[in-house]
Amino acid sequence: MMELICIDLEASGLGTKSYPIEVAWINDKTGEYDQFLINPESAPDWHYWDDNAEELHGIERENLVAKGLDIVNACKRMNKMLAGKTLISDAFEFDRFWLTRLFDATGIAPSFSVAGLDKILDREQRLQFNLLAKAQFRRHRALRDVEDIITCIKTVLFAGRNATTHG
């Protein structure tokens, strides 16, 4: 089985001034995973906060300040654990934007890359993925969402193998 590492981020909102507040990833092959909150006060210009986003993910800014990693340690932790890996995101444009905001704020270069679903799924499989994902109840917490993303990907890939072997 190929190494499948998926990532998900929660953010302060969806606007251009938004920033990442939670990161989670899972390596489906090895079972390794990580999740952590990010303290927005460790970045000089991370003030934007969308109450609607908070309602979705349920993470209060005060909780981030109290329990979140500072941005430098967040980047170092990801680089150490994910060096040389390619992570898959089901929301590539958003996740890339927030990872770029995080790493740019520290001046640290990421040691890993992020790709969209098109890296592992063809057009038809991405359509199937989207249908399955829409049917899921997403909780909008990064680790749980990554678990759901992996479930959808594996379901689509398994269905594709079954269609080829039994079709």
Side-chain angles (χ1 to χ4, degrees):
M1 179 177 128
M2 69 169 190
E3 185 174 55
L4 174 62
I5 306 172
C6 291
I7 188 168
D8 188 64
L9 288 91
E10 298 301 328
S12 65
L14 296 177
T16 56
K17 294 183 179 193
S18 66
Y19 47 85
I21 61 168
E22 184 180 41
V23 177
W25 59 267
I26 297 174
N27 183 325
D28 189 57
K29 185 175 183 179
T30 66
E32 288 179 290
Y33 72 94
D34 196 13
Q35 68 173 347
F36 54 86
L37 299 173
I38 299 171
N39 179 353
E41 291 189 359
S42 63
D45 61 347
W46 287 9
H47 306 292
Y48 174 80
W49 192 257
D50 183 337
D51 291 333
N52 293 324
E54 180 180 328
E55 197 171 308
L56 272 179
H57 51 61
I59 304 169
E60 297 174 348
R61 186 176 171 92
E62 297 76 26
N63 194 28
L64 297 171
V65 172
K67 298 180 181 174
L69 291 178
D70 68 77
I71 59 175
V72 170
N73 284 326
C75 291
K76 286 181 177 179
R77 182 165 163 167
M78 293 178 73
N79 276 349
K80 181 180 179 187
M81 300 177 87
L82 299 168
K85 306 289 186 185
T86 298
L87 286 65
I88 302 299
S89 166
D90 74 330
F92 175 67
E93 293 298 326
F94 285 107
D95 290 343
R96 181 179 62 181
F97 172 78
W98 292 316
L99 283 169
T100 300
R101 288 267 344 236
L102 175 63
F103 279 85
D104 283 357
T106 65
I108 298 172
S111 66
F112 56 91
S113 61
V114 179
L117 289 170
D118 58 333
K119 174 93 172 159
I120 59 168
L121 301 177
D122 64 27
R123 185 178 179 278
E124 178 65 31
Q125 290 171 324
R126 289 193 308 275
L127 290 171
Q128 292 172 6
F129 175 92
N130 288 333
L131 288 173
L132 286 170
K134 281 185 174 122
Q136 288 178 326
F137 172 70
R138 289 275 174 99
R139 293 148 287 209
H140 297 289
R141 285 304 300 264
L143 188 62
R144 291 187 215 137
D145 284 356
V146 172
E147 291 167 345
D148 292 343
I149 293 164
I150 288 174
T151 297
C152 281
I153 289 171
K154 288 168 70 173
T155 300
V156 168
L157 291 175
F158 183 74
R161 276 202 301 274
N162 273 354
T164 359
T165 56
H166 296 88

